Structures are given as C-alpha cells and as structure tokens.
Amino acid sequence: MNDDGEATVAAGRRPNGALEAEVLAILQAAEEALTPAQAAERLGGGLSYSTVVTILSRLHAKGILERTPRGRAYAYTPVTDEPGLAARQMHQVLGSKPDRERVLTRFVDDLSAADELLLRRLLGAELDPGR
C-alpha cells in the first residue's frame, strides 16, 4: 500500500483483470474476429502467445467471447459491446443475491438525480405500448 492507503502494483505487473481488459478492448476495436497471434500483435508484442491464449480462453469460459475455428487456432470476438458487457455484469450480481428487491432498492437510492431521471425515462418508455 502507498501512503494514501491505496493498493500498489509491483513493478512491471498489471492489476488483476487489467490484461483481460486490454485484450477485450483490442477485440472490441477490431472489425473482425482475431486469432491469438493477431491479438498479441495488436497488444504490441509485450505478451507471449501462450499468455494471450490463456486470457482468451478464460474470457471465453466466462461467456464474454465467442470463438470459431480458424486454421489451427480459434478466432475470438466479444459476445456484445462494452455497455452490453456492463449490463451482463449487473445482471450477474443481481442474480447472485437472495433479496433482489433490497439490492435494487439500494441501487436506485444511491443513483444521482440525473441517473434517476434517466432510469425513470427509460422505464416509462418501456411501459409505453405506443413506442
């Protein structure tokens, strides 16, 4: 920890999840599915091929990536865009809690005024049959 009480990362090491986030960002920016070699190349060559394969395999196992055979490897693509992935995470957290009503209530109570208005507008649009 540093003097501010924040966790520090050892020299040369990324924080947990940072590699997955970097690889996912590369895939989301790509116009087509990428093989591990292509992903490693776009990452700037700082990671070994096997490390990239491991990251892609983990993201696939988590349901974040789809993969299709391409030659002797797989080509990977995200199952959805960044907002879609965030929404999936929110659903997973909500689904893992026994009292959904209390979780949703606390979530809404903690929204900023602007986010609460946005949520009300979105819910109103969903309830409007003429939409």
Side-chain angles (χ1 to χ4, degrees):
M1 296 234 169
N2 64 18
D3 293 338
D4 296 328
E6 298 172 355
T8 56
V9 179
R13 292 193 45 115
R14 294 173 176 93
N16 288 342
L19 282 176
E20 287 185 357
E22 287 179 44
V23 171
L24 187 55
I26 293 293
L27 291 168
Q28 287 173 327
E31 294 182 12
E32 64 179 0
L34 299 179
T35 64
Q38 292 169 318
E41 181 181 313
R42 292 185 186 198
L43 287 165
L47 299 175
S48 71
Y49 178 84
S50 63
T51 299
V52 175
V53 168
T54 299
I55 294 166
L56 291 168
S57 297
R58 286 180 182 166
L59 290 170
H60 177 260
K62 291 178 181 181
I64 295 172
L65 300 179
E66 294 176 338
R67 69 181 183 190
T68 55
R70 186 182 296 167
R72 293 178 28 201
Y74 287 106
Y76 295 84
T77 188
V79 297
T80 188
D81 58 9
E82 190 173 352
L85 289 173
R88 285 181 59 165
Q89 289 174 326
M90 293 167 70
H91 281 286
Q92 288 171 344
V93 168
L94 184 60
S96 70
K97 304 302 175 191
D99 193 342
R100 295 171 69 95
E101 183 176 346
R102 287 182 67 192
V103 172
L104 282 172
T105 299
R106 178 65 59 91
F107 177 77
V108 172
D109 286 346
D110 292 342
L111 288 175
S112 69
D115 284 344
E116 184 177 346
L117 286 173
L118 174 60
L119 182 59
R120 287 180 186 281
R121 191 185 72 193
L122 291 171
L123 289 172
E126 289 293 323
L127 297 175
D128 181 6
R131 192 176 99 131

